[in-house]
Amino acid sequence: MNELDETLELLHRDVRTAPADLSAARARLLAELDAAPVIPLRPKRVRRFALPVAAAVAGVVAVTVVVVQQRPTAPAPGPAAAPPVRTTASPPVPTAAAPDIRLMSAAQVLTRAADVTVGAADQPVGPRQFRLVAEHTWVQRGVQTGDGTGYTYLWEQQVDRWIPADERDVWQETRKILSTGRFLGGSVPQAQAPEPAITNTDQGQWQGRCGDFFPKAKPAKKCGDAGDWDSPAFYAALPRDPAALYAKLQQLTKGRGSTPSVMFHFGIEILRAGQMPAQLRAQWYRALAKIPGIKVLAASANLDGRTGVALGLDDRHAIRQLIIDPGTGAFLGERTIAGAEPEQPWLKPGTELGASAITTAVVGRLGEVPPK
């Protein structure tokens, strides 16, 4: 199973997964990592070193989601380098004549974002430089104690990844839990709902060539893998025509029926990787505009201090939102809201389950974070 299949498998996984599967997953992961049982942090975008696994106590199930962004302040030592430069392209500045977003359809918003993104240019990553993809996220951590009983917390986390100009060189990823304790709800009062413990994959630092942070994980990670959205080869292999990109999304999600919600979810996950070139991103927006049922859910959505438009699909369990700046074409991040029938029955419909804000920059050494 490759990373694409793993991500699709995690969509509404806790509704579909039987206890026997969780026990098998726990056994496999414990055998591989030789560490304490791990509760997954980010099921919507699974890293090879954060495979899903059951909690240590029998009958306890980990449930997770993602959301927002802030930067850690402890850069790792490395060779001296040029001052950091923001990699977000230099798109056209919106003018007073820009159309009223409130009167536009989702397809029109995406088309406009694509139009302005065409004029953007990515900051190149030179020799001995790194592209920093920073994700400020809120992570949903839940414990299911029985049939329809349990509770959910939301944790704040920072995930920073440094990608070298040559992917065959050493990459670095750093995770840090910034805050815990935000109680979203449960079948028991918060006083009776102890927080899940922070594990050795919740925070820490990993390095590896080609982004291979855990060489013993299976399947093995390969350099230049066109099926891995963390590899530049994935984007080089994608078509540039919107219709062909839409067909590619259908192909990649056919294992889950290529439904609009699955295609939309997968489309957001690839954007979250922070590696899509601006010119391709413009066509990606046009491809997403072809997904049936996408609507403007909020004409003004704030994510980590940046304002954009929230687009999404109706879903009875959870509503995934894509947040973009239609005036610049920038991808700001994503948000998840509980639907009319949340997967965890103790959560109220409309509860904000999380969101993630994505920023990128070019820096001169591993661990370097540019000032805000």
Side-chain angles (χ1 to χ4, degrees), residues 8-279:
L8 294 174
E9 173 65 19
L10 286 164
L11 186 61
H12 303 326
R13 178 173 184 169
D14 56 328
V15 174
R16 299 180 283 98
T17 305
D21 294 330
L22 290 172
S23 298
R26 176 179 56 204
R28 287 194 305 271
L29 192 63
L30 290 177
E32 288 180 5
L33 297 184
D34 291 326
V38 176
I39 301 174
L41 275 177
R42 301 155 67 204
K44 291 187 175 178
R45 181 184 172 202
V46 178
R47 297 289 187 193
R48 293 170 59 253
F49 55 90
L51 300 176
V53 66
V57 180
V60 179
V61 180
V63 184
T64 74
V65 184
V66 250
V67 189
V68 214
Q69 160 160 335
Q70 200 170 18
R71 299 180 184 279
T73 57
V85 181
R86 290 285 176 184
T87 61
T88 306
S90 303
V93 177
T95 66
D100 190 340
I101 297 298
R102 295 170 296 179
L103 304 178
M104 298 173 68
S105 67
Q108 289 172 326
V109 171
L110 285 166
T111 300
R112 173 175 170 77
D115 289 342
V116 296
T117 302
V118 167
D122 296 308
Q123 175 70 29
V125 182
R128 298 186 180 181
Q129 289 186 320
F130 300 84
R131 186 177 304 282
L132 166 63
V133 180
E135 181 178 14
H136 182 201
T137 181
W138 283 94
V139 183
Q140 186 188 144
R141 298 297 300 272
V143 175
Q144 186 169 327
T145 55
D147 186 12
T149 62
Y151 53 88
T152 304
Y153 280 90
L154 208 61
W155 291 3
E156 184 183 11
Q157 184 193 32
Q158 178 70 33
V159 180
D160 292 325
R161 170 172 278 208
W162 289 265
I163 305 168
D166 184 343
E167 71 169 317
R168 294 169 296 182
D169 291 337
V170 174
W171 299 34
Q172 178 174 306
E173 178 154 311
T174 300
R175 293 182 175 191
K176 183 178 182 181
I177 297 295
L178 302 177
S179 65
T180 65
R182 181 176 172 184
F183 188 66
L184 293 187
S187 58
V188 296
Q190 183 174 2
Q192 301 176 25
E195 288 189 43
I198 296 177
T199 70
N200 58 358
T201 58
D202 290 345
Q203 58 185 6
Q205 179 177 294
W206 301 270
Q207 291 186 346
R209 295 184 183 278
C210 302
D212 192 4
F213 301 119
F214 283 79
K216 294 182 180 180
K218 303 294 182 181
K221 189 176 180 66
K222 301 176 182 178
C223 265
D225 184 358
D228 180 357
W229 69 68
D230 279 333
S231 171
F234 176 83
Y235 303 95
L238 289 177
R240 264 48 183 176
D241 175 70
L245 281 171
Y246 182 82
K248 182 66 173 180
L249 267 175
Q250 288 180 312
Q251 175 190 347
L252 293 173
T253 57
K254 65 181 180 180
R256 293 293 178 270
S258 297
T259 63
S261 61
V262 171
M263 292 178 65
F264 188 61
H265 169 88
F266 188 70
I268 293 175
E269 287 305 297
I270 293 178
L271 287 169
R272 279 184 62 205
Q275 295 196 56
M276 185 176 291
Q279 297 300 306

